[in-house]
Amino acid sequence: MVSDQLLFVLKIALLILLYLFFFRVVRAVWAELRPVAARPQPASPAPARAAPRRSRRDHARSHTPQLVVLEPAELLGTVFPLATEASIGRAAGCQITLDDTYSSQIHARVFARDGAWQVEDLGSTNGTWLNRQKVAGPMVIRPGDHLQIGNTVLEMQ
């Protein structure tokens, strides 16, 4: 016969599992309800005629920062424009949604602060890597830098 103490422990374990399930459902619903700022856009092919040359200063002013996928090959060239902040992960509520099993639901964020773009890991399981260095806190990301989240590699442009 099962002791009363064992039944009590099993009841507590069941309650904990129910609360964890409820928390995950609420978190998923919350992620779905958040507004989506940017969706992936396919990269446009280069124009046939040459564009007029601009100075670096003019290019920097008119250029919208973006992350471009380098890996995996099937997503090569996918462009994610950046506004002021973008969350990156597998959750549908992220501004940059990755179909990568090695990325967390809400993995990292890229944001503008003090005139520079920065990247920050949000407690992901596998970590976020900037130019092959693990992101421990907010780090400045510049054009040409490579950001790796799971098996996905993005380049800041």
Side-chain angles (χ1 to χ4, degrees):
M1 193 171 215
V2 180
S3 71
D4 289 338
Q5 291 175 340
L6 180 59
L7 285 175
F8 179 74
V9 169
L10 290 174
K11 285 180 191 178
I12 297 298
L14 180 62
L15 281 174
I16 290 171
L17 286 174
L18 283 172
Y19 278 110
L20 288 173
F21 174 76
F22 179 72
F23 172 73
R24 292 290 301 223
V25 168
V26 168
R27 185 175 169 199
V29 169
W30 178 76
E32 287 290 328
L33 294 177
R34 285 183 41 207
V36 177
R39 285 288 182 211
Q41 301 170 354
S44 57
R49 58 186 169 86
R53 294 193 59 95
R54 295 184 293 187
S55 70
R56 285 183 186 234
R57 174 182 262 170
D58 291 339
H59 180 71
R61 277 191 209 141
S62 65
H63 180 69
T64 301
Q66 58 190 14
L67 290 172
V68 180
V69 177
L70 300 178
E71 294 177 22
E74 58 269 11
L75 296 176
L76 179 67
T78 304
V79 176
F80 297 99
L82 298 173
T84 56
E85 180 175 340
S87 58
I88 306 170
R90 284 187 294 134
C94 289
Q95 286 77 32
I96 299 175
T97 305
L98 302 177
D99 185 21
D100 187 331
T101 56
Y102 292 102
S103 73
S104 298
Q105 290 290 319
I106 303 173
H107 194 102
R109 74 181 183 121
V110 177
F111 58 98
R113 182 184 294 160
D114 300 328
W117 284 92
Q118 298 187 19
V119 62
E120 177 181 34
D121 185 80
L122 298 177
S124 65
T125 304
N126 295 316
T128 302
W129 302 83
L130 179 62
N131 297 325
R132 297 185 183 238
Q133 291 184 346
K134 191 166 186 172
V135 175
M139 293 177 68
V140 174
I141 182 170
R142 295 178 179 86
D145 285 352
H146 290 186
L147 179 65
Q148 183 170 356
I149 294 175
N151 289 327
T152 305
V153 178
L154 305 132
E155 180 180 18
M156 179 73 163
Q157 293 184 348

